[in-house]
Amino acid sequence: MCLQIVNNPLQLDCLERSPSSPAASSGSVSLGVFYGTRKEPPPPFRLSFPFRCLQRVDALAEMSVKAFELVPAVERDLLMGDKARINIECIECCGKHLYVGTNDCFIHHFLLDEVTSSKGKLSYSPQKLLHKYLGLKKPVAELRAASALERLIVLCDGIVFLVDMVTLETVPSAAGGGAKIRGVTSFCINENPVNGDPFCVEMGVLSSKRRTVQIFMVYEDRVQLVKEVTTPEQPCAVSLDGYFLCLALATQYMILNYNTGASQDLFPYNSDERRPIVKTIGREEFLLAAPGGLGMFANAEGVSQRAPVNWSESVIGAAVCFPYVVALDESFITIHSMLDQQLKQTLSFRDGHILQDFEGKVILASTKGVYVLVPLPLERQIQDLLASHRVEEALILTEGAQRNIPKDKFQILHKRILQQAGFIQFGQLQLVEAREHFRKGQLDVRELISLYPLLLPSSSSFTRCHPPLHEFADLNHLAQGDQEKVLRCKRFLISYLGEVRSTEVANGCREDVDTALLKLYAEQDHDSLLDLVASDNACLMADSVPWLEKYHKYFALGLLYHYNGQDSAALQLWIRVVDGDLQDSTRSDLYEYIVDFLCSCSNQDLVWKYADWALLKNPTLGIHIFTKRPVCKDHPQLNSDDVITYLGKHSQALLLYLEHLVLERKIQKEKFHTHLAVLYLERVLSLLSQSPTDEQQLSSARDRLQSLLRESNLYRAQSLLGKMENCEQLLLERATLHGKLEEHDKALHILVHKLRDFPSAEAFCIWASSCRDSAYQQQLFHMLLGVYLDSTSHPGKSRTSAEGGSGDLEMAAVDLLNRHGEVFDAARVLRMLPEGWSMQLLRPFLGRAVRASMHACRTSQIAVGLAHSENLQLLHDRLKERKKPIFVSEKKGCHLCHNTFSEPDVVCLPGGVPVHTHCVAQRGSGTAGLPTRIHNNSNNTDAIFPLTAQPAAAAESRAEQRARLLKQQRTASSSISQLVVTGRKPLLAPQSPMVQCV
Amino acid sequence: MPEGSKMKKPDVKVVLLGDMNVGKTSLLHRYTERKFKDTVSTVGGAFFLKQWGPYNISIWDTAGREQFHGLGSMYCRGASAVILTYDVTNWQSLAELEERFLSLTDTANQDCIYAIVGNKADLTDPKAQLSHDSIGVSEDQTQCEEEMTEPQILSACPTPPASPESLSGLILHKQVAHEDAVAFYGRILRYKGLEDKSSLPPEKMCFETSAKTGYNVDALFETLFDLVLPSILRKRNENQESPTVDLEVCRGAGGRRARSTCC
Ligand SMILES: Nc1nc2c(ncn2[C@@H]2O[C@H](COP(=O)(O)OP(=O)(O)OP(=O)(O)O)[C@@H](O)[C@H]2O)c(=O)[nH]1
Ligand SMILES: [Mg+2]
């Protein structure tokens, strides 16, 4: 029940789809098996036509490639004249020799000469050499040449026999064996025999009765059976390649290895219904007629490696003429590409019944005439495809032909086709594909550039290649006035040139490429213009300059000048832009750019020439030319004195430059310092002289002056002082200068009396003594105190308001003492102070003084105590060292000189051996590690301590201890200055750092 | 122009089998061109080369018509994967797979992988009706919408009015349940004598797809490619291991001969 139901839809479906089926199965044009054609089947094929002819005509119009031309070779009158009965049965062609077998048992021998007309059209002029009757009254069924043997192998009346190629005489059997095979239905020649004997031909033979294939060797005068293989069914067509027999049996095709007997079924085929076709088309690959009018490919393994081609049901013969499969049916020759399985060409051919390929030459025969299917030159086919814009097909055809063309030739061809394909796609604005093909085809980019008017430099030697790669005159022609298209093409060229300019494609035409790119960038206002002109490039000046000017790309032009070493031109141009003579908004900070440029410019002449302009424009930025010059070896430095001279007229810049030298680079030259100080001073003076003084400016100007005066030690203070001698507004500066000149009294006088600026006076004391010792500082402070007190004690001297003034000074003195008590010598101060001052007033000072003095005293006492105890310790140690007394008498001799002792002073050697002091001195003079003699205050014998090896660490800790002590003593030393510590470390024994109180 | 036109040597072969009109060509179109478009009944066969990582996979689209049935064995010879396709609205198309097409796969590789694919799921399964193609969605949607207006008329054709399921309303056309396909997959394994081994589970190998909407199509092909990769690698290794084969390969077609002579 189920089956019934489901059968229906199938049938329905068949009906539904039937309109398209005839077209599909007719093997005609409409259905390339390949998807390429199926994507958009051209309109005529969607409809189905009742008449195939009509369809074909449409097909021709739609998709033909002219791959072949049918050229008559031998026409009727040469063969049979008007004898209507006589038909061609078989043909064989061997070089120029054409053999034709007829149904009246004749063999005709022709010589075919190719004639090429002046227009390049090919034709054949046949010349009949001979014809011969074979005497069997039966049609000549098959003819094959064995040219190495000079024999024709003939099948006639079921008999295979040999005929001389020249005389056409039947070869008589040799003594050793027969030259005839009987009962033969069909035979084939192995073009690719495994046995390599050149003087025999391997032949596969099918016989009428037995289910076998026989392999024969054909020699000059005999044939020899070498192998016989049985087949499952009666074979009716055979082809042989290597060991492989490809057979058409009654119901299927199969592959049979006659060497091993292995077989491989291919696919079923009813040989009774349709004549099978078995063709060897290459190494172990066969072309077979398959059901449904297919041309199937199969290899010896039984695998199909190419998609089938779609013939008609009634195909009679087929052959491969790479890359095409040519097939013949009753009325047409169809040509499919093996590369994409598409039908490429259809030729009308009536009464055709033979189609065979001989050494690559495809020959056809109708019953009455012989024709050659001449392939058009590959290039022409490709060009035809390209002419109809069938880019992909053209490329497939080209690439498919690779193995048939010598490598170098192929490469040239391939490149050219790729380039042409690229241009076609370019014309269609398929720019991605175009780029790919240009790249792969290594297009000379100038071909592309030359499409764009005016881009190639006028000096370029380029001429377009001939024949031309495309049909376009120029971009305007291509775009037909569509500005959008033009723009897209320009952008394309920009990106393409950008990509290739650094590759080898641009070799030899870098000028052209870079100049074109520059022009495009300028015209399109492209950001990369600056990168191009600023970096390594080959832009031609002659073309680039006017072009950049035209598009107002002056900044870029300047960069290009610079790249070409014409800095002066660049600067002139840029200056005109900054000055507004020329318009280019590329850089709003062009002025700064110029400054930077001059700053790093190694050509000093240029710097001197253009700095003036820059300084006039903006001294603060302009001075960077001099102040920001990079410091490195190969960059010539400018002489500072030259710069200063140069800057003479640019006062502001000069000041900045001097500041740079003095303050930043800290150059220690009196000249610069004085100059700067003078400039500062002048500035201050000029500000002072203005009627409403700008206080803010003035104070900043004074700050600068003051800080220079304070910090620098190099300027000529005297001369500066001279310049402001009578300027009452610059008292502080004057005080500073006096300070520099060590005229502290004058300075303090100004500060205290004229300025009444007590904090400054105090600060002055600290500043003026900052690098000096404490005594100096003390002296200064005392001086200040003196100044304060002086005027108090002599109130008459004070010019200013007596009553308030002296009080001020007193308070200043008190403050000074209270603030800086530690600096003063308290005893001296007490002596200086007026009697009447209250203790209360000076309490902080006095308190601190007493405490400090107390502290010092106690610290010193501690130090003394410590020193004493250490000394005691050492004495103790010493005693231990010399437990035994050492006796010295007049009778005892010195161990060194052997004289007796006359004085109590001796030196003790290790072991308590007494020797003369002078002897030791003599012996050890100049030697380190000498025993040291230490005098005691006592009259007793001097003691000397031998040096012994000592642990460094112990010595070190001792040394540290001593250092600490020493420090403590130092702090306390003001009052205990008598304490002296000796301790020459290397000379001391472990327990003997000596502290000696003198 | 499809990649298939370039003469690269494929590393592995995948074959689409199934009755005519089940949508083999449409499936391959959908996968390779991301489109659903008019097809004509395939003549003979065709193949497409797919670049899968470093490998070339040839996918053969065969003709389902009875007339070309005999070629099937040849197409399957040496195949690493076979996609057995039926039409979910057509029970017979599944039956045909078992009756006619399974035996064609005898020539496939020993370790060949089988996938059962029920196409035209959009006609029966609402979730297969949405556009599933990530690429070119907009383009496809318009196309789909155009066609969506028609299916009532169109889809009536493949299924006879007498279909038992037609009474149940919404899933008007579904004739083949997923379980039927799973059962068939089990029979394939039995037929191949693979059932005991740790063969691939039916859940993984039975698909329902729609070439029209793209439903499950990428999943189908990509699952298969991932599964055949080991087969590719093994093939490569074999070629590397045997020095004699290497020499033959250098001479061109010789490699094939060397193998066929020894068996
Ligand atoms: N609704 C729907 N229709 C589909 C689907 N796939 C294919 N079709 C339709 O089914 C018909 C057959 O599709 P094809 O892809 O040519 O079928 P095929 O299996 O290649 O057929 P043969 O080449 O003859 O073996 C066409 O009309 C398609 O539009 C699908 O997923 N959903
Ligand atoms: Mg199909």
Side-chain angles (χ1 to χ4, degrees):
Chain A
M1 190 177 156
C2 255
L3 268 174
Q4 262 187 329
I5 294 161
V6 291
N7 267 340
N8 278 335
L10 246 179
Q11 283 162 5
L12 270 173
D13 184 55
C14 285
L15 280 175
E16 182 201 27
R17 296 179 71 185
S18 59
S20 62
S21 293
S25 57
S26 66
S28 69
V29 228
S30 57
L31 307 170
V33 192
F34 222 77
Y35 297 131
T37 50
R38 302 191 76 180
K39 260 188 224 162
E40 272 106 30
F45 310 136
R46 295 234 182 91
L47 312 167
S48 72
F49 288 87
F51 306 109
R52 272 179 54 198
C53 289
L54 263 179
Q55 235 176 314
R56 299 226 171 175
V57 171
D58 278 340
L60 273 171
E62 190 66 36
M63 58 186 313
S64 80
V65 181
K66 210 167 169 204
F68 293 92
E69 226 170 12
L70 195 59
V71 180
V74 180
E75 279 170 303
R76 183 181 179 132
D77 49 339
L78 263 179
L79 270 164
M80 65 286 293
D82 47 9
K83 291 177 201 156
R85 290 179 302 107
I86 299 174
N87 289 336
I88 296 172
E89 286 293 323
C90 59
I91 51 176
E92 166 65 307
C93 183
C94 184
K96 286 181 172 181
H97 298 270
L98 176 74
Y99 298 88
V100 179
T102 53
N103 59 349
D104 57 350
C105 208
F106 270 91
I107 297 178
H108 301 256
H109 182 190
F110 299 93
L111 198 61
L112 277 186
D113 270 317
E114 279 182 16
V115 186
T116 313
S117 77
S118 56
K119 284 180 187 163
K121 200 151 175 63
L122 187 123
S123 61
Y124 287 97
S125 84
Q127 181 192 348
K128 185 153 183 172
L129 296 180
L130 200 62
H131 60 138
K132 182 97 189 158
Y133 178 57
L134 295 177
L136 291 166
K137 291 186 181 158
K138 289 281 163 57
V140 181
E142 282 181 47
L143 270 178
R144 299 307 306 267
S147 51
L149 313 177
E150 297 213 323
R151 296 289 178 262
L152 281 177
I153 306 168
V154 185
L155 171 62
C156 183
D157 196 19
I159 307 167
V160 167
F161 55 96
L162 304 177
V163 163
D164 187 286
M165 272 179 91
V166 181
T167 63
L168 301 182
E169 295 288 352
T170 305
V171 177
S173 295
K180 277 188 182 164
I181 313 166
R182 293 179 191 279
V184 175
T185 54
S186 172
F187 73 93
C188 67
I189 301 292
N190 192 348
E191 306 277 4
N192 179 29
V194 181
N195 152 343
D197 183 354
F199 296 105
C200 71
V201 169
E202 191 177 290
M203 181 170 72
V205 171
L206 305 182
S207 47
S208 53
K209 293 190 191 79
R210 286 172 295 175
R211 290 184 197 166
T212 57
V213 183
Q214 295 170 314
I215 309 296
F216 281 93
M217 289 300 182
V218 181
Y219 298 90
E220 211 175 22
D221 52 358
R222 65 192 164 92
V223 292
Q224 186 188 341
L225 180 69
V226 292
K227 195 92 186 179
E228 193 169 62
V229 280
T230 49
T231 56
E233 295 170 23
Q234 176 62 39
C236 54
V238 64
S239 197
L240 181 53
D241 189 75
Y243 285 131
F244 294 100
L245 288 160
C246 186
L247 295 164
L249 305 180
T251 64
Q252 64 158 330
Y253 288 102
M254 71 178 294
I255 303 263
L256 194 58
N257 183 323
Y258 75 75
N259 193 37
T260 64
S263 70
Q264 175 71 70
D265 290 347
L266 293 179
F267 53 87
Y269 189 80
N270 191 332
S271 299
D272 294 337
E273 271 176 23
R274 297 254 170 250
R275 204 167 107 185
I277 295 174
V278 184
K279 292 288 295 183
T280 307
I281 61 158
R283 258 184 177 268
E284 290 167 18
E285 191 173 7
F286 304 95
L287 174 62
L288 311 164
L294 291 182
M296 276 294 273
F297 297 93
N299 68 11
E301 277 180 284
V303 175
S304 205
Q305 286 175 313
R306 308 171 199 270
V309 291
N310 198 357
W311 294 329
S312 71
E313 291 275 2
S314 53
V315 167
I316 301 163
V320 164
C321 180
F322 194 84
Y324 297 106
V325 182
V326 183
L328 173 72
D329 63 25
E330 301 109 347
S331 27
F332 291 98
I333 303 162
T334 56
I335 292 147
H336 288 82
S337 167
M338 279 165 82
L339 303 170
D340 59 10
Q341 283 73 41
Q342 292 178 70
L343 179 71
K344 299 291 180 183
Q345 190 183 1
T346 309
L347 294 157
S348 168
F349 191 66
R350 296 253 157 234
D351 296 327
H353 77 140
I354 300 170
L355 181 144
Q356 270 180 288
D357 57 318
F358 304 95
E359 296 155 349
K361 191 187 271 182
V362 179
I363 302 186
L364 295 109
S366 64
T367 47
K368 306 292 179 191
V370 180
Y371 301 82
V372 181
L373 197 58
V374 181
L376 291 178
L378 186 74
E379 280 185 58
R380 182 126 163 244
Q381 294 178 38
I382 296 168
Q383 290 307 333
D384 284 351
L385 282 171
L386 288 174
S388 44
H389 289 185
R390 289 154 70 179
V391 171
E392 286 297 338
E393 281 177 77
L395 283 171
I396 289 171
L397 184 58
T398 314
E399 279 152 29
Q402 181 164 12
R403 56 179 193 187
N404 299 28
I405 305 177
K407 197 174 168 197
D408 44 348
K409 239 182 122 184
F410 171 77
Q411 275 177 350
I412 294 167
L413 174 74
H414 191 209
K415 273 187 200 167
R416 186 182 158 89
I417 303 304
L418 281 167
Q419 294 171 5
Q420 282 184 281
F423 273 111
I424 290 170
Q425 285 160 332
F426 181 71
Q428 296 166 343
L429 285 130
Q430 297 171 5
L431 299 176
V432 178
E433 293 85 354
R435 170 195 293 255
E436 190 57 30
H437 287 141
F438 286 151
R439 189 189 297 150
K440 275 203 217 149
Q442 298 173 342
L443 175 75
D444 178 344
V445 273
R446 292 174 298 179
E447 287 284 352
L448 191 59
I449 299 172
S450 73
L451 267 180
Y452 297 67
L454 302 174
L455 283 197
L456 273 183
S458 39
S459 59
S460 171
S461 58
F462 174 76
T463 49
R464 287 190 194 173
C465 109
H466 190 82
L469 290 170
H470 54 80
E471 58 200 3
F472 309 113
D474 60 19
L475 197 58
N476 298 327
H477 172 214
L478 184 150
Q480 301 286 328
D482 183 340
Q483 285 312 303
E484 177 61 28
K485 276 190 187 175
V486 171
L487 198 62
R488 278 185 66 192
C489 290
K490 283 185 173 166
R491 292 210 198 99
F492 169 77
L493 187 60
I494 285 179
S495 82
Y496 188 66
L497 290 182
E499 178 189 308
V500 300
R501 68 181 284 259
S502 49
T503 67
E504 61 184 31
V505 173
N507 281 354
C509 57
R510 282 206 58 194
E511 285 93 353
D512 293 357
V513 171
D514 285 359
T515 309
L517 197 54
L518 173 131
K519 290 179 180 177
L520 280 170
Y521 280 157
E523 187 196 294
Q524 298 295 315
D525 219 3
H526 199 284
D527 293 341
S528 305
L529 175 64
L530 302 183
D531 290 341
L532 175 72
V533 289
S535 59
D536 191 21
N537 71 74
C539 298
L540 288 172
M541 291 303 270
D543 266 64
S544 306
V545 173
W547 193 277
L548 290 173
E549 279 171 352
K550 179 176 161 199
Y551 288 96
H552 297 272
K553 301 293 178 194
Y554 299 109
F555 178 64
L557 179 53
L559 289 177
L560 188 63
Y561 276 134
H562 170 59
Y563 178 76
N564 286 281
Q566 304 177 24
D567 285 354
S568 180
L571 284 165
Q572 275 168 20
L573 196 66
W574 289 336
I575 285 171
R576 288 175 66 198
V577 174
V578 173
D579 287 344
D581 299 344
L582 297 173
Q583 302 304 317
D584 174 12
S585 57
T586 314
R587 280 194 83 124
S588 52
D589 60 346
L590 186 56
Y591 171 77
E592 286 88 335
Y593 186 88
I594 296 174
V595 169
D596 281 354
F597 185 88
L598 287 172
C599 178
S600 48
C601 179
S602 52
N603 180 345
Q604 299 200 5
D605 293 343
L606 282 183
V607 177
W608 297 129
K609 187 166 170 197
Y610 293 103
D612 223 18
W613 173 84
L615 290 166
L616 280 175
K617 200 95 192 158
N618 182 341
T620 347
L621 289 174
I623 195 62
H624 289 170
I625 295 171
F626 301 104
T627 56
K628 296 248 162 96
R629 271 182 95 72
V631 187
C632 58
K633 252 190 266 145
D634 40 53
H635 199 79
Q637 287 305 304
L638 297 171
N639 182 316
S640 305
D641 294 329
D642 293 349
V643 176
I644 288 167
T645 321
Y646 181 83
L647 291 175
K649 46 193 179 300
H650 306 280
S651 56
Q652 199 185 342
L654 178 61
L655 184 75
L656 292 167
Y657 186 66
L658 283 169
E659 279 181 340
H660 166 74
L661 293 180
V662 172
L663 304 180
E664 271 168 54
R665 287 178 51 198
K666 309 233 182 290
I667 289 180
Q668 302 299 314
K669 261 193 178 175
E670 176 272 328
K671 215 156 101 187
F672 300 154
H673 286 238
T674 307
H675 199 161
L676 181 60
V678 169
L679 287 183
Y680 278 156
L681 179 60
E682 278 169 1
R683 164 104 180 123
V684 170
L685 290 175
S686 89
L687 280 171
L688 281 171
S689 66
Q690 279 163 19
S691 57
T693 40
D694 181 337
E695 285 304 331
Q696 210 181 333
Q697 275 193 25
L698 180 64
S699 86
S700 92
R702 284 190 67 184
D703 281 350
R704 278 198 247 165
L705 174 62
Q706 286 166 7
S707 88
L708 178 69
L709 294 181
R710 268 198 308 274
E711 258 130 66
S712 166
N713 292 321
L714 289 171
Y715 59 85
R716 274 186 281 158
Q718 200 63 62
S719 84
L720 276 170
L721 200 54
K723 283 190 201 298
M724 57 176 101
E725 199 80 79
N726 26 23
C727 182
E728 289 303 312
Q729 279 124 313
L730 299 179
L731 293 171
L732 198 58
E733 287 81 355
R734 277 167 57 188
T736 311
L737 286 172
H738 282 303
K740 280 281 172 200
L741 293 167
E742 307 251 339
E743 300 167 353
H744 299 308
D745 49 343
K746 283 188 189 164
L748 288 174
H749 182 80
I750 292 173
L751 290 169
V752 174
H753 291 302
K754 294 197 173 158
L755 271 175
R756 298 202 146 258
D757 183 350
F758 308 129
S760 294
E762 239 173 86
F764 175 86
C765 288
I766 294 168
W767 164 72
S769 62
S770 56
C771 303
R772 305 299 189 91
D773 58 18
S774 56
Y776 192 89
Q777 195 181 24
Q778 196 179 52
Q779 198 189 332
L780 262 175
F781 272 90
H782 275 283
M783 192 183 283
L784 178 58
L785 185 65
V787 172
Y788 286 152
L789 295 179
D790 246 15
S791 38
T792 336
S793 50
H794 310 285
K797 273 190 181 177
S798 168
R799 272 170 290 172
T800 43
S801 53
E803 62 273 38
S806 62
D808 277 1
L809 291 179
E810 269 174 39
M811 275 327 294
V814 172
D815 283 348
L816 183 68
L817 285 171
N818 287 345
R819 242 199 314 272
H820 295 284
E822 74 285 347
V823 184
F824 290 92
D825 178 348
R828 247 174 93 190
V829 170
L830 288 178
R831 257 177 269 132
M832 283 167 76
L833 290 180
E835 296 290 319
W837 282 23
S838 81
M839 291 287 272
Q840 194 55 36
L841 203 63
L842 289 171
R843 216 173 78 127
F845 168 71
L846 290 175
R848 210 177 310 157
V850 170
R851 212 176 296 132
S853 152
M854 200 71 150
H855 174 74
C857 171
R858 289 193 179 145
T859 315
S860 310
Q861 280 171 354
I862 291 170
V864 171
L866 284 171
H868 270 312
S869 79
E870 193 178 20
N871 190 261
L872 207 62
Q873 180 72 42
L874 290 173
L875 286 174
H876 170 77
D877 291 350
R878 192 175 66 166
L879 259 164
K880 263 204 308 195
E881 272 302 303
R882 24 179 292 189
K883 269 192 189 110
K884 307 174 279 182
I886 296 157
F887 297 103
V888 183
S889 75
E890 282 167 5
K891 284 162 196 159
K892 254 189 157 179
C894 165
H895 267 239
L896 291 175
C897 67
H898 304 293
N899 292 329
T900 56
F901 294 103
S902 52
E903 283 171 69
D905 276 5
V906 291
V907 171
C908 221
L909 288 181
V913 182
V915 290
H916 287 124
T917 41
H918 58 262
C919 287
V920 172
Q922 230 169 18
R923 192 181 173 209
S925 64
T927 320
L930 192 72
T932 306
R933 187 188 59 165
I934 294 157
H935 289 275
N936 259 343
N937 262 357
S938 70
N939 263 346
N940 280 344
T941 320
D942 281 345
I944 188 162
F945 290 95
L947 280 176
T948 51
Q950 46 181 300
E956 202 46 54
S957 67
R958 276 289 171 150
E960 274 166 21
Q961 207 182 337
R962 254 183 305 115
R964 194 158 23 88
L965 239 129
L966 193 61
K967 233 165 139 189
Q968 285 167 356
Q969 286 162 353
R970 279 261 168 81
T971 50
S973 64
S974 56
S975 51
I976 337 169
S977 53
Q978 311 302 82
L979 189 71
V980 175
V981 178
T982 50
R984 279 155 297 169
K985 191 174 74 175
L987 293 178
L988 291 171
Q991 291 90 9
S992 59
M994 291 302 292
V995 180
Q996 206 170 31
C997 278
V998 184
Chain B
M1 189 65 46
E3 288 162 61
S5 54
K6 308 268 149 62
M7 305 285 280
K8 277 179 231 140
K9 195 155 166 53
D11 299 292
V12 87
K13 180 152 88 172
V14 175
V15 181
L16 278 157
L17 281 187
D19 203 356
M20 71 177 288
N21 206 32
V22 297
K24 299 179 294 297
T25 305
S26 302
L27 279 172
L28 193 51
H29 271 165
R30 164 59 74 181
Y31 181 62
T32 58
E33 290 172 38
R34 333 293 309 164
K35 278 189 212 141
F36 180 69
K37 59 188 191 187
D38 281 351
T39 56
V40 280
S41 186
T42 304
V43 179
F47 76 92
F48 180 86
L49 265 188
K50 170 80 187 174
Q51 190 91 32
W52 186 254
Y55 307 107
N56 290 316
I57 298 179
S58 66
I59 312 173
W60 281 79
D61 174 27
T62 60
R65 264 193 282 163
E66 188 83 51
Q67 188 183 17
F68 301 112
H69 187 247
L71 304 178
S73 293
M74 235 180 98
Y75 289 136
C76 286
R77 187 162 289 126
S80 300
V82 172
I83 302 174
L84 292 159
T85 319
Y86 64 93
D87 174 350
V88 291
T89 66
N90 182 339
W91 198 88
Q92 182 63 23
S93 66
L94 182 70
E96 289 288 330
L97 283 181
E98 194 156 6
E99 283 161 27
R100 267 204 302 141
F101 291 96
L102 188 53
S103 61
L104 297 178
T105 64
D106 293 354
T107 52
N109 282 351
Q110 201 62 44
D111 57 354
C112 182
I113 293 162
Y114 297 89
I116 316 288
V117 174
N119 190 37
K120 307 197 189 179
D122 58 292
L123 295 177
T124 62
D125 189 347
K127 76 167 179 281
Q129 271 165 14
L130 306 163
S131 179
H132 291 269
D133 206 342
S134 48
I135 305 162
V137 170
S138 58
E139 184 190 335
D140 272 299
Q141 254 160 4
T142 54
Q143 209 175 341
C144 275
E145 274 155 25
E146 275 167 25
E147 282 158 28
M148 288 304 241
T149 56
E150 287 172 273
Q152 280 74 12
I153 319 147
L154 248 175
S155 58
C157 298
T159 317
S163 164
E165 276 87 351
S166 67
L167 302 171
S168 60
L170 194 108
I171 48 159
L172 190 74
H173 312 290
K174 184 135 181 174
Q175 289 200 353
V176 186
H178 186 63
E179 296 75 60
D180 298 336
V182 170
F184 174 44
Y185 184 73
R187 293 198 292 281
I188 293 179
L189 293 186
R190 213 170 310 140
Y191 174 80
K192 298 281 169 192
L194 293 168
E195 49 192 331
D196 301 330
K197 294 187 198 156
S198 53
S199 47
L200 297 161
E203 313 84 68
K204 202 174 174 194
M205 301 313 291
C206 293
F207 296 83
E208 287 197 356
T209 62
S210 166
K212 187 168 174 178
T213 65
Y215 173 69
N216 241 355
V217 175
D218 285 354
L220 162 69
F221 284 101
E222 279 157 21
T223 306
L224 278 185
F225 294 164
D226 285 339
L227 288 171
V228 296
L229 270 181
S231 147
I232 302 176
L233 294 171
R234 190 157 23 74
K235 211 165 131 189
R236 291 226 165 146
N237 283 342
E238 271 169 23
N239 285 346
Q240 274 164 12
E241 270 159 30
S242 157
T244 50
V245 172
D246 264 352
L247 285 171
E248 296 289 339
V249 165
C250 294
R251 283 210 287 136
R256 290 193 301 271
R257 188 203 311 174
R259 248 175 289 156
S260 47
T261 45
C262 64
C263 53

